Amino acid sequence: MSVDPSSQRQTTAVAATPLTPTVFFFCRLGDMIMVTRLLNLLHRRYGRPCNVIGTGSWTPNLYAGHPDVADTWAFHRHLPFLLDPAWRPVRHALRASAPGPVYVCERHYRQLPRIRRMLWLAGIDPRRCVFLTDLPVPEAEHLIDRMVGLGGRTPANLCPADYPAPSPAALDGPRLYVLESERAERDRWLASHGWSGRELILFQPGNHRSMGPRRARWRRLNTDDKWWPIERWAELLNRIHRERPDALLLLRGSQEEIPMLQEIRAATNLASAAVVGTTLRQWYALCEAAGSVVSVDSGPAHAAAALSAPLVGMYGQHSPLHWGPRSPAGSPVAAVGGPPATQRIDDLSVDTVFEAWRRVTRSRPA
């Protein structure tokens, strides 16, 4: 069958124009931060920032001020999407972005059918779509590297030569951004407590379980593998205080975690230790100003690294080789624990965490 040359020219002209990529990612906070390197790749490759579709009320706030993100929509994780107010604008955005590529980064077997139904009901040409799960899973590859590999693939409706992928060396991220208004709010808050000009060392003892409705049960039964005992946190803060006596040691968490943080502070008996409950964006601003951060394996740990704070991340059953935070600017990130050495964070000693903190603070770039 012959092909009309004029139709070929028209297709090429459309394909060579800037396109809006769409990224689906229905995972947790840490994964949504790691995906920012893929967003940078797609922005550079297709010439326009990305639309991001995720779950969780924090998703729009997560990317505020991010130059690689055009717009975000968040679905409830369990509510049927047809009943969700986000469905209509997402369907419109998917159709309006044609023939732009759709990259599906979701890996969870329960969420993938949901995303496929969304695409089908929105009338999206399957040739626009590429899925992370279509790629083999290398045994030792980090999730960020898997997503970069996904971004190098080209949907069937586009010509790879029209949209060459940038080299890995040209990519930025994972990276997050702090707004000027958030910096000003942070600086006013520090000044109001008389803490301006002091070195700021942040501690993130909690994870998604310690802020959830069953947090008391998790703790009572000792079934939270990311829990580090109160007395070890207190000993760590005291040892860091002896090393940096003028620093402010700030225990941070959600409002639900404040009682736990106050327990740690009381156990330290340190006047230089304080407790604060923050939103996600307030945490960003504090990380930007921090001299170092110590955190359990959590989304806030990824945020700290993405904001170039020197970081110690504590791991139990999950391997940092696959999920560990990465910094965009070369600031030091030390991951301690993880299999086969540990299956729970409480397998880690205070000595191990303290020595890792000393390493990252010594090697911080000038």
Side-chain angles (χ1 to χ4, degrees), residues 186-205:
R186 174 201 66 206
D187 292 344
R188 285 193 299 269
W189 179 76
L190 290 170
S192 71
H193 288 80
W195 294 334
S196 296
R198 294 179 65 179
E199 179 185 4
L200 182 61
I201 302 176
L202 303 179
F203 300 86
Q204 170 70 36

Side-chain angles (χ1 to χ4, degrees), residues 142-309:
H142 197 285
L143 177 60
I144 292 173
D145 299 323
R146 285 187 64 197
M147 290 191 289
V148 168
L150 173 70
R153 295 175 59 201
T154 306
N157 71 318
L158 300 177
C159 175
D162 290 336
Y163 299 99
S167 70
L171 299 181
D172 186 43
R175 188 184 293 275
L176 296 171
Y177 292 83
V178 176
L179 305 178
E180 285 296 335
S181 58
E182 294 164 343
R183 288 192 188 97
E185 179 189 359
R186 174 201 66 206
D187 292 344
R188 285 193 299 269
W189 179 76
L190 290 170
S192 71
H193 288 80
W195 294 334
S196 296
R198 294 179 65 179
E199 179 185 4
L200 182 61
I201 302 176
L202 303 179
F203 300 86
Q204 170 70 36
N207 64 81
H208 68 280
R209 296 189 186 104
S210 58
M211 62 183 293
R214 294 187 292 175
R215 56 188 176 274
R217 185 173 184 272
W218 285 107
R219 185 171 172 182
R220 184 178 69 255
L221 299 178
N222 195 30
T223 48
D224 182 357
D225 64 286
K226 296 185 181 183
W227 172 258
W228 210 42
I230 296 289
E231 61 273 13
R232 292 192 210 171
W233 281 111
E235 183 181 347
L236 177 67
L237 266 70
N238 273 284
R239 292 183 67 173
I240 291 176
H241 171 70
R242 290 194 291 271
E243 188 96 357
R244 302 286 177 84
D246 296 327
L248 172 65
L249 311 180
L250 194 59
L251 291 151
R252 177 269 172 193
S254 67
Q255 292 298 325
E256 295 84 357
E257 293 167 326
I258 293 296
M260 174 191 70
L261 302 178
Q262 289 173 334
E263 282 187 71
I264 298 173
R265 184 191 178 283
T268 68
N269 198 30
L270 291 173
S272 60
V275 168
V276 62
T278 72
T279 64
L280 182 63
R281 299 297 307 186
Q282 290 168 336
W283 171 246
Y284 285 11
L286 287 172
C287 288
E288 185 188 56
S292 56
V293 178
V294 180
S295 174
V296 300
D297 173 20
S298 64
H302 285 273
L307 287 153
S308 299

Side-chain angles (χ1 to χ4, degrees), residues 62-63 216 264 348:
L62 177 67
Y63 300 119
I264 298 173
L348 293 169

Side-chain angles (χ1 to χ4, degrees), residues 30-92:
D31 293 349
M32 296 290 282
I33 293 170
M34 287 191 280
V35 83
T36 57
R37 187 166 172 87
L38 170 64
L39 300 179
N40 183 255
L41 185 159
L42 297 178
H43 187 181
R44 290 171 181 265
R45 185 177 183 190
Y46 294 103
R48 288 179 181 165
C50 305
N51 288 335
V52 180
I53 303 168
T55 54
S57 58
W58 39 260
T59 300
N61 282 334
L62 177 67
Y63 300 119
H66 205 295
D68 297 323
V69 178
D71 210 341
T72 59
W73 294 270
F75 284 90
H76 191 281
R77 194 166 183 84
H78 303 293
L79 181 72
F81 68 86
L82 289 173
L83 303 179
D84 198 304
W87 168 239
R88 284 183 179 272
V90 163
R91 182 178 62 180
H92 174 76

